[in-house]
Amino acid sequence: MSRLIIVSNRVAVPDAGSKAVAAGGLAVALKEAFTAYKGLWFGWSGKITDNPSSEPVIADRGRVQYAVMDLSPQDHREYYSGFANRALWPIMHYRLGLAAFSRADYAGYQRVNRIFAQALAGLIEPGDLIWVHDYHLIPLASELRGLGVSNPIGYFHHIPWPSGEVFNTLPASTELLRAVSDYDLIGLQTDSDVHNLSRNLVDELRAIPLGGGSLMVDGRRTRIRSFPIGIDVDGFRQAAERAGMNRTVRDTVAGLRTRKLLIGVDRLDYSKGVPERMEAVERFFASNPDQRGNVVFLQIAPKSRTEVPEYEQLSRDVNEVLGNINGSLGEPSWTPIQYVTKAYPRAVLAGLYRAARVGVVTPMRDGMNLVAKEYVAAQSEDDPGVLVLSKFAGAARQLPEALLVNPYDRFEVAEAIRAALYMPKAERVERWKPMFERMSREDVDWWARSYLGELEGFRTVEREPPAA
Ligand code: GDG
């Protein structure tokens, strides 16, 4: 059986004795892949230590072996908080005004990718497939190739790839374009991401399109294709069906009495449009005064990246918007917006999605957005709720039956909330069914299988030995 090496920024090693793959986004996504392959999962341990070892710590857990490295405080600051999260993240999400570029951060980003490549190269065997995840690790393939690794190396980019007009504002843009084209297969979430990157490679690096998504860049071949990530639809639906028993879900539903629930669930990130969504909800109550007291908006938003200043600022902005809305509209007997920053177990989320008449998923920009899919998966087929979805989320391409909105237009979002609340059952079912069916076909196993099936095709490609 051949081996699949997954590389991702953060790796959660399951407890010893546990044969299960660790819980969490990518781990759930790759569960099936690890039944077809033996696995090695490589990346950052999540720990910051003063003098990290250059050798990874290895742990065997059933079919999957984990190899993790600690980061030094400087590496963490420059590679992770700095270049990845203060330069790449905002630019990839079209937020030029929030980007902070520093040469020291970029040097740290390159250094950590080199350290990772050196540690990983020693673990790679002939016949291994290597699948690298996300924007923290764009230069990894170039580093591995430089060390003589000739295995197929694929990359999946979980976030949007913006147009060249936006991407090229990044001072390191040309180097990063060269680095990404060192992968055999570049997976993106949508066709417009594919268009943006391919077009930019042609314009900036004179890449030659070869058809079928393949391009010749500086004498090397790469292929760029969209593989929209799915979710475990069955697992989520079952969790939602069972969640009625859960205490938090029961108490929430009982507390609503006859009120209708709108729900938002996001990591607290400026790409997710949380304050803008709250303003749209305020607009909804302003134009529908008869609905005050009858509808509650629950926003769950666990904090993330709190060491990055823009996220601290976002948290303050949300508190201010929320305080103003609840203060001006609320009554002793009714709080229009309930806001919690605690993270809830997936089973609780599933139950709350099912209890909500409207899922309000309005990111300003999002690679895919799994919450939109989870909300749809959690609905009951007889009486489903309505998804209000940003047209700037990758998920909008697969969920066109949702009420698609421009998240920058709070009037439009408010009107969609109203339409969702008043939508007759027959229309709710008619919209929900094709979304559920499509998501069931294009679920997370389909995503991993399609990507890996294509990466397998690069096993026989002849590669130049690295320049001496
Ligand atoms: C990146 C891209 C792309 C949220 N709160 C809780 C909780 N969550 C879970 C959700 C969902 C996940 O976190 C968030 O997924 P998203 O897709 O919305 O967003 P990112 O974290 O930004 O992920 C994104 C994704 O990669 C996959 O490719 O879709 O576009 O930005 O699963 O349910 N989970 C639990 N408690 C919470 O309180 N357990």
Side-chain angles (χ1 to χ4, degrees):
M1 178 185 267
S2 62
R3 205 165 64 145
L4 171 63
I5 300 184
I6 298 291
V7 190
S8 65
N9 167 59
R10 180 80 170 80
V11 179
V13 181
D15 292 336
S18 149
K19 287 203 164 45
V21 176
L26 198 53
V28 172
L30 296 167
K31 212 158 82 197
E32 201 199 61
F34 285 137
T35 60
Y37 294 90
K38 271 172 60 184
L40 170 68
W41 197 328
F42 179 94
W44 174 38
S45 62
K47 292 193 198 120
I48 303 170
T49 45
D50 276 336
N51 286 303
S53 162
S54 55
E55 297 292 322
V57 174
I58 311 269
D60 286 307
R61 300 284 185 272
R63 306 179 76 87
V64 184
Q65 189 177 55
Y66 291 80
V68 293
M69 316 262 304
D70 295 351
L71 290 179
S72 74
Q74 185 188 356
D75 288 344
H76 179 259
R77 196 174 57 245
E78 294 174 349
Y79 149 80
Y80 179 74
S81 306
F83 192 71
N85 285 332
R86 293 194 78 193
L88 282 177
W89 179 272
I91 297 240
M92 296 289 191
H93 287 89
Y94 296 69
R95 298 296 283 270
L96 301 188
L98 292 177
F101 178 82
S102 111
R103 289 204 167 168
D105 287 350
Y106 183 51
Y109 176 79
Q110 290 172 301
R111 183 176 64 248
V112 171
N113 272 277
R114 194 166 316 123
I115 294 171
F116 279 3
Q118 281 160 351
L120 177 59
L123 303 173
I124 298 172
E125 293 163 10
D128 289 347
L129 279 187
I130 305 166
W131 190 6
V132 177
H133 287 263
D134 237 354
Y135 59 103
H136 314 85
L137 299 168
I138 293 173
L140 199 74
S142 314
E143 295 291 344
L144 289 172
R145 294 281 182 239
L147 294 168
V149 172
S150 61
N151 305 51
I153 313 179
Y155 172 70
F156 188 78
H157 188 74
H158 289 256
I159 63 179
W161 198 291
S163 75
E165 303 290 329
V166 172
F167 184 76
N168 299 342
T169 61
L170 191 63
S173 62
T174 311
E175 261 179 68
L176 287 168
L177 287 176
R178 284 218 164 81
V180 78
S181 55
D182 263 333
Y183 285 94
D184 292 311
L185 177 62
I186 304 168
L188 298 166
Q189 300 274 26
T190 67
D191 289 343
S192 74
D193 296 331
V194 169
H195 171 82
N196 288 340
L197 174 58
S198 312
R199 176 75 204 264
N200 206 9
L201 288 172
V202 170
D203 289 348
E204 294 297 308
L205 300 184
R206 300 181 189 284
I208 304 161
L210 302 171
S214 295
L215 290 140
M216 189 61 86
V217 191
D218 291 343
R220 293 178 320 274
R221 231 182 141 104
T222 185
R223 187 176 302 157
I224 308 178
R225 274 206 43 201
S226 67
F227 298 88
I229 193 166
I231 63 163
D232 172 10
V233 176
D234 269 348
F236 223 88
R237 185 178 51 82
Q238 286 165 20
E241 279 167 4
R242 283 196 302 266
M245 316 289 284
N246 177 280
R247 181 82 194 254
T248 312
V249 177
R250 261 198 348 239
D251 289 352
T252 310
V253 173
L256 286 172
R257 298 195 296 273
T258 57
R259 287 172 178 148
K260 287 188 177 145
L261 181 65
L262 316 175
I263 195 167
V265 175
D266 308 79
R267 265 187 319 100
L268 191 55
D269 190 297
Y270 49 79
S271 64
K272 305 291 183 185
V274 173
E276 293 85 351
R277 186 182 309 157
M278 288 178 173
E279 285 172 355
V281 169
E282 177 186 33
R283 186 68 248 153
F284 164 75
F285 286 122
S287 21
N288 297 275
D290 57 317
Q291 291 302 315
R292 294 184 193 175
N294 293 334
V295 174
V296 171
F297 173 49
L298 168 62
Q299 174 68 56
I300 297 176
K303 290 199 177 178
S304 80
R305 304 179 192 165
T306 46
E307 74 285 3
V308 177
E310 290 74 22
Y311 287 72
E312 267 306 299
Q313 182 59 45
L314 170 70
S315 178
R316 285 194 293 273
D317 292 348
V318 170
N319 288 342
E320 192 180 327
V321 170
L322 173 80
N324 285 339
I325 298 174
N326 280 344
S328 64
L329 290 179
E331 302 281 350
S333 58
W334 173 65
T335 304
I337 303 182
Q338 292 182 1
Y339 174 59
V340 287
T341 57
K342 203 158 81 183
Y344 287 87
R346 279 174 79 75
V348 172
L349 285 188
L352 293 174
Y353 288 140
R354 194 175 176 93
R357 171 47 62 86
V358 187
V360 195
V361 185
T362 52
M364 314 314 281
R365 209 37 93 161
D366 219 327
M368 178 53 60
N369 196 299
L370 299 182
V371 170
K373 294 188 170 182
E374 291 165 0
Y375 178 78
V376 172
Q379 299 309 301
S380 79
E381 60 185 306
D382 312 326
D383 193 13
V386 180
L387 177 64
V388 172
L389 177 60
S390 162
K391 59 184 178 185
F392 303 128
R397 316 286 168 120
Q398 285 167 301
L399 304 174
E401 296 86 0
L403 297 181
L404 297 183
V405 293
N406 172 2
Y408 290 88
D409 182 349
R410 76 183 80 132
F411 290 86
E412 190 180 317
V413 177
E415 279 157 18
I417 290 173
R418 182 190 155 84
L421 285 168
Y422 284 94
M423 190 180 286
K425 190 149 108 179
E427 184 178 348
R428 284 189 274 122
V429 172
E430 200 177 304
R431 286 175 179 271
W432 172 81
K433 210 159 173 275
M435 294 197 279
F436 184 83
E437 286 169 358
R438 201 173 303 115
M439 276 176 27
S440 301
R441 280 193 306 274
E442 299 177 358
D443 70 354
V444 70
D445 294 338
W446 167 86
W447 169 76
R449 251 194 332 267
S450 327
Y451 186 92
L452 289 168
E454 187 128 357
L455 188 60
E456 284 280 358
F458 289 87
R459 281 190 189 282
T460 51
V461 172
E462 294 280 323
R463 289 184 191 83
E464 302 267 312

